[in-house]
Amino acid sequence: MDKKNIYILSASILMLTAVTSCKSPVFMRDVNQNTPDTYRGNNDTTTLADISWREFFKDSSLTKLIDSAFVNNQELNINLMELTIGNNEIMARKGEYLPFLDVGAGAGAVRTARYTPDGAMEATTEMEPGRPIPDVVPDFSLGAYARWEIDIWGKLHNAKRAAAQRYLSSVEGRKFMQTQIVAEIANSYFELQALDRQLEILDQNIQIQTNALNIVKMEKASARVTELAVQKFEAEVAHTKSLRYIIRQQIIVAENRINFLVGRFPQPVERNDATFDQN
């Protein structure tokens, strides 16, 4: 094969490679893009998002805590101030589209020193015959200024849009924060109710174990059991009492968590233990 044929073959391969590399990619398309209105044929469209928290929680003590948190929670109050600032910023950005009118006034006085060239000249010069130049020359000014910035490059429009987006993000952030506060208070409140129930069960167990300990002591007095049985029951009673202190500590921790969310000093949390079984 001569050089001419080699050149022709090489050029053909290069052209074929270029055409292949410029070929548009192929994307898979969905055959059926029609999605069902409901999931697995479920016609119930009610979700928890459509239910108000007042309807979801029936416990009056819990709703009082949530209402108090919406008023006194520090993070919510800070977020409310951010909403006010964002709203004022939007109003300020809207005002930048309008022309600005400024009015200014001023007053002053000019007095030239007597023993200077200008002062000596003024002292020997008359404005009109018989009317000398006054020793102090008053100076008054009054003016109005107008300016209007034309938004050619979209600076004002972008600033207004950014302010509106920040305001909307603050609004949605406040809603998310309120949801988090409701969830955390409700979770801690139900935890308190569960701890109260555990404390009642522990008190019942302590009473039962104490009665059993008294029985074992009477059996030991009648030589039916040994001292080992008595010590075993005493250890069980002491262990159950130690669990009671742990539960009490957990109750204080849960109450402090609720007090922090509500925005008040540490204090006992009022709760209705009768609704625990209903929930």
Side-chain angles (χ1 to χ4, degrees):
M1 184 180 293
D2 54 4
K3 293 183 178 181
K4 182 177 180 181
N5 293 332
I6 294 175
Y7 292 154
I8 294 174
L9 181 61
S10 300
S12 301
I13 293 174
L14 290 175
M15 292 179 63
L16 180 61
T17 303
V19 171
T20 305
S21 61
C22 296
K23 185 177 180 181
S24 300
V26 178
F27 297 97
M28 295 183 63
R29 297 182 180 275
D30 296 333
V31 178
N32 186 7
Q33 298 181 357
N34 298 324
T35 58
D37 296 333
T38 58
Y39 178 70
R40 299 184 64 179
N42 187 6
N43 296 325
D44 187 7
T45 58
T46 303
T47 63
L48 291 179
D50 299 328
I51 302 175
S52 173
W53 64 269
R54 295 185 183 276
E55 299 177 1
F56 189 79
F57 300 116
K58 302 297 184 180
D59 195 328
S60 59
S61 299
L62 177 57
T63 56
K64 289 179 181 178
L65 291 174
I66 297 175
D67 288 332
S68 181
F70 284 166
V71 177
N72 301 322
N73 186 269
Q74 295 182 0
E75 294 183 0
L76 275 180
N77 291 331
I78 293 174
N79 186 263
L80 181 61
M81 294 297 101
E82 292 177 353
L83 288 178
T84 304
I85 294 173
N87 190 17
N88 294 335
E89 185 180 2
I90 292 177
M91 298 298 295
R93 296 300 181 184
K94 288 182 178 180
E96 292 181 354
Y97 283 95
L98 304 177
F100 289 86
L101 180 63
D102 298 330
V103 179
V110 179
R111 185 178 186 277
T112 305
R114 177 68 177 81
Y115 298 102
T116 59
D118 294 337
M121 184 182 298
E122 292 179 358
T124 58
T125 305
E126 295 181 350
M127 298 177 60
E128 296 178 358
R131 183 184 176 188
I133 296 177
D135 187 31
V136 178
V137 179
D139 182 16
F140 301 99
S141 63
L142 178 63
Y145 310 93
R147 59 186 178 89
W148 188 14
E149 182 177 359
I150 301 177
D151 191 18
I152 298 177
W153 308 109
K155 182 186 72 172
L156 301 180
H157 174 73
N158 293 332
K160 176 186 174 184
R161 183 178 180 183
Q165 294 295 333
R166 285 192 295 269
Y167 176 77
L168 292 177
S169 64
S170 300
V171 171
E172 296 302 323
R174 179 176 176 82
K175 292 180 181 178
F176 174 75
M177 190 178 301
Q178 288 177 338
T179 303
Q180 288 293 106
I181 288 176
V182 170
E184 291 180 7
I185 291 179
N187 185 39
S188 299
Y189 184 82
F190 294 145
E191 181 181 354
L192 275 178
Q193 290 183 326
L195 291 173
D196 291 339
R197 184 56 56 86
Q198 291 182 19
L199 198 61
E200 293 178 1
I201 296 174
L202 283 177
D203 291 337
Q204 295 174 3
N205 289 338
I206 291 173
Q207 184 63 37
I208 293 173
Q209 291 175 353
T210 302
N211 295 335
L213 177 61
N214 295 330
I215 294 174
V216 171
K217 287 181 178 180
M218 289 186 294
E219 290 180 347
K220 178 180 177 296
S222 60
R224 297 185 61 182
V225 296
T226 62
E227 179 66 20
L228 180 61
V230 176
Q231 293 181 359
K232 180 178 182 300
F233 275 89
E234 288 179 347
E236 291 292 337
V237 173
H239 175 69
T240 306
K241 289 182 178 180
S242 66
L243 293 179
R244 191 178 189 280
Y245 288 107
I246 295 176
I247 297 299
R248 288 294 305 168
Q249 183 179 8
Q250 294 177 354
I251 289 176
I252 297 299
V253 172
E255 287 181 338
N256 290 339
R257 189 186 309 120
I258 292 178
N259 290 324
F260 173 76
L261 294 172
V262 175
R264 64 187 185 185
F265 292 104
Q267 56 185 278
V269 175
E270 180 184 355
R271 49 192 178 272
N272 185 8
D273 294 331
T275 59
F276 179 73
D277 294 334
Q278 299 176 3
N279 294 328

